[in-house]
Amino acid sequence: MPPSRLDGLYRSLLLTKFFCKGWGKPENLERLFEFRKIISNRTACSKLVPRDYPVEITKEELTSDCRILEGRFKTPLEIYLPGLVPDAVKDAHFQILLPTEWRDERYKPVCIHLAGTGDHYFWKRRNLIAKPLLKEANLGAIILENPFYGMRKPKDQKASSLHNVSDIFVMGGCLVLESLVLLNWCERNGYGPLGITGLSMGGHMASLAATNWPKPLVLVPCLSWSTASAVFTEGVMSHSINWDVLQTQYFSDGNYRERLSKMVTVVDDAFLAGQHFIQNFNQSVQELKKDLNQVDDLVNGGARPDVNLTVIRETTPEHEQKRIHINHTNVLNLSEPLLKKLLSNVKCELTQEEIDELNLKIQLALKNYKAENKTDSDKLILEVKSEEPAPETGPSKSLGTKIMEYISWRNSNDPSTPTPPPPAEKRERIDPSKTRWWEREALQFMRGMMDECTHLKNFSVPYDTSLIIAVCAKDDAYIPREGCSSLEDIWPGAEIRYLDAGHVSAYVLHQKLFRSCIVEAFERARKKWIPEHERLQEVQDVERPK
């Protein structure tokens, strides 16, 4: 299914830019990468948060339909990575909704709700999902304020626009440990079974947190997937990132390129390569045979004439004049380092490997040239090209015009009505094969960082995958799934449900479905929880002195 046009339109209307200050300090990123190895191991991570971690309840209110508690505690991440958590983020704030009366004293379910991108404070999650669940299923809720959002937003941050890429890793580290604090608090106060959920970014953060709880836990991640790397490098969110700043910083500070890039790994590279080969198997085999035949001809063939190579740069003023006298031009496909040297405006020394590569490509071009023209040539002209994207033409359209065009097209039943070019067309996925080498390198670094810290393959499998129901949108342009490991493979036994919708339309139209999945997952937990609860009660009765 093609990515949702509505997702592209919605993202194009938002003016927020992410990571305007760059990647973050290299020393901070290095500490985060090292801490990820600890926090991704359930045995090690669960020991980071004591069962009696101090939590302060600051307010309690009784309404006609529920009890509302508010509280706070220090984020444990500040203990283990001091100096990385901004002052405004250090205090974790939360709100608890509990029924005025439990229907069954043996069964007091509570679910933690984590925030999606842009979900500040408590009101949205409280009114759209927590209160309806309380009314429909007697299900309690804990709504945790997201780091860098609402009461935890740094003063110099605008809206949800995180300053640095490292901020999102700080956010994730905080949420994983803070969720453990709240789950421990629930157990101390006799609540259970327990669960965790979230939409979009909140769904992925819920998945990360659930991997580290050493007991059965309900997990319902909605509109998320196995990694955040595709979100920031391929989805519509990638066009909201300040890539100019990231690329400049990446190449100006050797710490990123020489040291940090070696600490991260793109998890799905092998998967992508295998997928591409399988999808294009016949073509791949034919190309492989052609390459082998050409190399064999060069190795075993006779003497070859010298070749006079002329490199034409598109930036030279004489380019157009020279092209007039060229009847046949061969384009060389060269490796990036060699291409960069040939296109530079200064003299460059070629290594022996680059000379061998150039000679091989020239001989192949000469062979193809003679095969096509059936004649000899004293001089062969080869062109080395670096293609630039065509500039956009035409006046830019206003926000109102874009919306009206889209609505008019959606409401029209006349098949002859022309389809307006949606913003999603201009905001298609970033294609690494069409970007410059320096853009590709920065993009690959982003993929590696995101996979290193967010890919579920790098974390423990949740304790009981039968309590997982994940809800995904088939046409999601925010969370691309193609080329990423599937949740079914990473979490055997989990149930994945797919909606015929995009990211935005699913969020707006399917809140009821999200709630029903949460209720269903808790019903599964109930069947395991109550018998266990009764068994423990029987043991306590036997051990109690008479």
Side-chain angles (χ1 to χ4, degrees):
M1 298 290 287
S4 167
R5 292 183 173 185
L6 179 59
D7 289 354
L9 172 68
Y10 181 79
R11 184 64 246 179
S12 71
L13 305 183
L14 302 178
L15 302 177
T16 51
K17 280 282 185 183
F18 291 86
F19 314 139
C20 291
K21 292 188 178 180
W23 303 100
K25 294 180 180 180
E27 58 270 24
N28 289 350
L29 286 168
E30 187 170 0
R31 293 171 67 192
L32 286 164
F33 295 159
E34 291 296 336
F35 189 67
R36 196 281 302 166
K37 297 174 184 177
I38 300 172
I39 205 173
S40 60
N41 180 282
R42 177 163 54 240
T43 303
C45 183
S46 59
K47 295 178 181 178
L48 297 178
V49 179
R51 179 174 170 80
D52 59 350
Y53 193 91
V55 175
E56 180 186 3
I57 300 299
T58 59
K59 182 180 178 181
E60 184 169 356
E61 179 183 359
L62 182 63
T63 67
S64 58
D65 56 352
C66 66
R67 289 172 57 211
I68 301 178
L69 287 73
E70 292 187 6
R72 66 187 177 198
F73 57 89
K74 292 289 183 182
T75 182
L77 189 67
E78 174 63 16
I79 300 172
Y80 300 104
L81 294 177
L84 262 67
V85 183
D87 290 340
V89 178
K90 290 179 181 177
D91 280 341
H93 299 269
F94 62 92
Q95 190 175 88
I96 303 177
L97 273 69
L98 298 172
T100 54
E101 183 179 354
W102 295 102
R103 297 172 186 170
D104 186 339
E105 285 298 318
R106 301 170 300 171
Y107 180 70
K108 300 178 180 179
V110 173
C111 186
I112 298 174
H113 299 264
L114 300 185
T117 303
D119 187 355
H120 295 250
Y121 303 105
F122 307 125
W123 64 271
K124 188 182 294 184
R125 282 169 286 166
R126 182 178 65 237
N127 293 312
L128 290 180
I129 194 163
K131 277 196 170 183
L133 283 173
L134 189 69
K135 182 178 180 181
E136 297 165 5
N138 204 226
L139 180 59
I142 299 180
I143 308 169
L144 178 60
E145 179 76 282
N146 205 54
F148 298 93
Y149 282 16
M151 292 178 284
R152 306 179 71 180
K153 184 172 74 70
K155 292 182 179 179
D156 59 343
Q157 176 185 302
K158 294 182 179 179
S160 310
S161 301
L162 301 182
H163 289 157
N164 301 292
V165 178
S166 60
D167 291 344
I168 203 161
F169 304 141
V170 172
M171 177 192 294
C174 284
L175 288 173
V176 168
L177 298 179
E178 289 164 16
S179 296
L180 294 181
V181 171
L182 293 172
L183 291 169
N184 279 323
W185 181 89
C186 287
E187 279 200 338
R188 294 201 308 269
N189 286 274
Y191 301 117
L194 306 175
I196 189 166
T197 186
L199 272 66
S200 190
M201 180 182 73
H204 194 77
M205 294 298 182
S207 298
L208 296 177
T211 64
N212 292 304
W213 183 243
K215 299 175 185 178
L217 183 72
V218 168
L219 171 61
V220 185
C222 302
L223 308 181
S224 65
W225 198 235
S226 58
T227 177
S229 63
V231 176
F232 293 103
T233 61
E234 298 178 38
V236 294
M237 279 283 288
S238 64
H239 298 275
S240 300
I241 293 175
N242 197 324
W243 288 105
D244 289 339
V245 170
L246 295 178
Q247 290 160 16
T248 300
Q249 196 176 83
Y250 179 75
F251 288 101
S252 63
D253 188 336
N255 285 306
Y256 299 105
R257 195 180 188 194
E258 303 300 329
R259 186 156 53 93
L260 292 174
S261 64
K262 295 176 174 60
M263 297 180 67
V264 299
T265 303
V266 177
V267 173
D268 291 317
D269 260 356
F271 172 77
L272 281 169
Q275 185 185 58
H276 177 78
F277 184 81
I278 291 171
Q279 290 175 346
N280 303 276
F281 180 76
N282 291 331
Q283 181 182 353
S284 300
V285 171
Q286 294 302 319
E287 290 177 354
L288 182 60
K289 287 181 178 178
K290 182 179 178 182
D291 290 343
L292 290 173
N293 290 335
Q294 288 181 331
V295 172
D296 183 65
D297 289 345
L298 289 175
V299 173
N300 300 319
R304 290 171 293 277
D306 292 335
V307 178
N308 183 353
L309 172 67
T310 301
V311 177
I312 303 175
R313 299 185 182 87
E314 288 192 317
T315 55
T316 58
E318 302 84 2
H319 176 64
E320 292 301 325
Q321 294 180 1
K322 287 186 179 181
R323 283 189 66 87
I324 295 173
H325 303 291
I326 297 174
N327 295 323
H328 186 93
T329 302
N330 282 280
V331 180
L332 294 183
N333 295 316
L334 303 174
S335 62
E336 291 297 342
L338 178 56
L339 181 62
K340 181 187 175 185
K341 288 184 178 181
L342 292 176
L343 293 175
S344 66
N345 293 320
V346 297
K347 290 183 179 180
C348 298
E349 292 185 4
L350 300 183
T351 65
Q352 187 59 48
E353 290 183 356
E354 290 169 336
I355 293 172
D356 293 342
E357 178 189 352
L358 192 56
N359 281 331
L360 177 63
K361 295 296 176 65
I362 291 171
Q363 297 299 340
L364 289 173
L366 179 62
K367 182 177 181 295
N368 292 335
Y369 174 70
K370 288 189 175 182
E372 294 172 4
N373 290 271
K374 309 294 184 183
T375 60
D376 291 331
S377 174
D378 295 328
K379 184 175 182 180
L380 173 65
I381 298 180
L382 301 171
E383 183 175 6
V384 182
K385 301 179 70 176
S386 64
E387 297 182 357
E388 297 287 342
E392 294 186 6
T393 58
S396 59
K397 296 179 180 179
S398 67
L399 174 62
T401 303
K402 291 179 183 178
I403 296 175
M404 290 309 297
E405 281 186 351
Y406 186 81
I407 293 175
S408 299
W409 171 70
R410 294 291 294 177
N411 292 337
S412 173
N413 294 320
D414 183 1
S416 64
T417 303
T419 303
E425 300 278 339
K426 294 181 181 179
R427 295 176 172 268
E428 60 186 5
R429 290 185 185 182
I430 295 177
D431 185 353
S433 65
K434 295 181 181 179
T435 55
R436 302 177 183 86
W437 67 269
W438 59 88
E439 293 172 337
R440 283 204 299 272
E441 196 164 333
L443 195 71
Q444 191 75 350
F445 183 51
M446 175 70 85
R447 282 189 66 199
M449 289 176 66
M450 289 295 168
D451 270 358
E452 183 69 28
C453 296
T454 72
H455 203 297
L456 296 177
K457 271 191 174 181
N458 287 335
F459 290 75
S460 301
V461 175
Y463 189 90
D464 186 351
T465 56
S466 69
L467 301 181
I468 300 174
I469 300 178
V471 185
C472 304
K474 289 183 178 179
D475 309 333
D476 201 323
Y478 276 81
I479 319 286
R481 297 188 308 278
E482 185 179 354
C484 299
S485 301
S486 69
L487 292 178
E488 292 97 332
D489 293 336
I490 300 174
W491 292 340
E495 182 178 352
I496 319 298
R497 299 178 181 178
Y498 295 91
L499 292 169
D500 285 319
H503 195 86
V504 175
S505 58
Y507 181 87
V508 173
L509 301 176
H510 295 286
Q511 292 283 338
K512 186 175 181 180
L513 174 65
F514 300 148
R515 296 197 301 269
S516 68
C517 289
I518 294 171
V519 173
E520 183 178 342
F522 268 94
E523 283 299 316
R524 293 181 187 178
R526 179 188 185 121
K527 294 177 181 178
K528 297 183 178 183
W529 176 264
I530 291 184
E532 179 68 13
H533 185 275
E534 291 175 342
R535 186 188 67 81
L536 292 174
Q537 188 64 48
E538 290 174 359
V539 171
Q540 291 173 2
D541 291 341
V542 170
E543 294 176 347
R544 186 179 297 117
K546 296 181 180 178

